[in-house]
Amino acid sequence: MQPLPAEQTQARRFGKARSARSTAVLEDYVELISDLLGTTGEARPTDIARRLGVSHPTAIDTIARLKREDLVTARPYRGVFLTEKGETLAKRVRARHRLVVDVLLALGVPQEAAEADAEGIEHHVSDVTLKTFAEFLRDAKDRRKA
């Protein structure tokens, strides 16, 4: 058995995981809203709830939280729209998701498993790890060319 890390180190790690879980929900909503707007032109709370597998009241509560965070606006009978801040977050989340999926695929993980696993991993990966993932993919691409 390995020795325990220093208390501060362990507390920082657990704190990071708690924080990631808290923001993961918002990130999933923003990413889905962006996808719905891009493909169907609208993001209705009913569609959001169904696609995330949550109840309509849960979706409404989370959309209210997104409004408080200035990530979305919502108009009665018109659906949900991303603010500029929400668009920026959606782009960042989508890029992070794509990078994690690409690394998993490069490691030989099947497509469906890579997509599903990326949904969890993407919220917990640090910027340092993401940078390393990008370098890994770049190096792998260079090796294939050689």
Side-chain angles (χ1 to χ4, degrees):
M1 190 165 172
Q2 291 187 327
L4 286 173
E7 288 176 0
Q8 291 292 351
T9 301
Q10 194 167 27
R12 184 179 44 40
R13 290 176 186 166
F14 282 119
K16 181 179 182 278
R18 279 191 306 278
S19 176
R21 280 192 298 274
S22 174
T23 60
V25 171
L26 298 181
E27 290 176 348
D28 286 343
Y29 272 74
V30 168
E31 186 178 13
L32 176 60
I33 291 166
S34 177
D35 291 344
L36 288 169
L37 291 170
T39 58
T40 67
E42 66 179 352
R44 299 177 309 148
T46 301
D47 298 326
I48 294 167
R50 278 200 312 260
R51 288 191 173 271
L52 288 174
V54 300
S55 70
H56 190 264
T58 296
I60 294 297
D61 288 347
T62 305
I63 291 166
R65 185 174 164 205
L66 292 168
K67 284 185 200 177
R68 287 191 303 274
E69 298 281 337
D70 190 34
L71 296 168
V72 302
T73 60
R75 300 181 201 142
Y77 311 106
R78 296 247 5 256
V80 181
F81 301 89
L82 294 173
T83 62
E84 188 174 321
K85 182 178 172 183
E87 281 286 351
T88 300
L89 178 60
K91 287 176 186 170
R92 193 171 80 239
V93 170
R94 187 175 293 106
R96 192 173 60 209
H97 177 89
R98 197 72 257 145
L99 180 58
V100 172
V101 168
D102 289 347
V103 166
L104 294 173
L105 292 173
L107 293 171
V109 175
Q111 179 77 40
E112 184 53 36
E115 291 287 348
D117 291 346
E119 285 300 332
I121 295 169
E122 69 187 35
H123 302 292
H124 298 275
V125 167
S126 69
D127 289 340
V128 170
T129 300
L130 289 170
K131 183 179 178 202
T132 304
F133 281 179
E135 290 168 1
F136 167 79
L137 290 174
R138 212 172 17 258
D139 292 347
K141 184 178 177 183
D142 290 345
R143 282 191 300 275
R144 282 194 304 269
K145 286 181 181 178

